[in-house]
Amino acid sequence: WLRLLQRTRQRLAQAGLHLPDSAPPRTIAAQIQAHFGDPALLPLCAWLLELEQSRYAPPAQATHTLRDLQRRWRLLPWPAAVRSS
């Protein structure tokens, strides 16, 4: 779970959104919306909320397994990486 969240932070940092290691998925989702404002990234925000739910919800309420979240991570829309000049 933590590795997947760290990979997400790294991918967002490449796009110019730098987040502290302590930022939970819910905060990251809000920051994505505030920073990019792109409706195409809403699936990424929803995925982050599902990731948080998989960690903190009671087992009966967690609807996604970590394996499922890892598989879906590869298919998510991501903001474009910022090119350094």
Side-chain angles (χ1 to χ4, degrees):
W1 190 89
L2 290 174
R3 278 189 235 148
L4 192 55
L5 187 57
Q6 183 59 31
R7 286 174 46 201
T8 301
R9 283 192 200 100
Q10 290 170 346
R11 188 93 179 248
L12 292 169
Q14 292 171 349
L17 179 58
H18 300 279
L19 300 157
D21 288 342
S22 60
R26 181 175 303 275
T27 300
I28 295 171
Q31 290 297 314
I32 289 169
Q33 291 174 343
H35 185 80
F36 298 107
D38 185 353
L41 297 176
L42 288 177
L44 174 57
C45 295
W47 178 88
L48 281 159
L49 296 177
E50 292 170 13
L51 181 67
E52 185 172 270
Q53 182 186 36
S54 76
R55 173 81 182 235
Y56 297 112
Q61 293 179 355
T63 57
H64 300 281
T65 65
L66 183 58
R67 183 175 299 250
D68 178 46
L69 291 165
Q70 289 170 328
R71 181 185 53 78
R72 289 178 43 225
W73 187 89
R74 295 177 192 94
L75 305 173
L76 289 169
W78 294 94
V82 176
R83 296 185 180 172
S84 58
S85 48

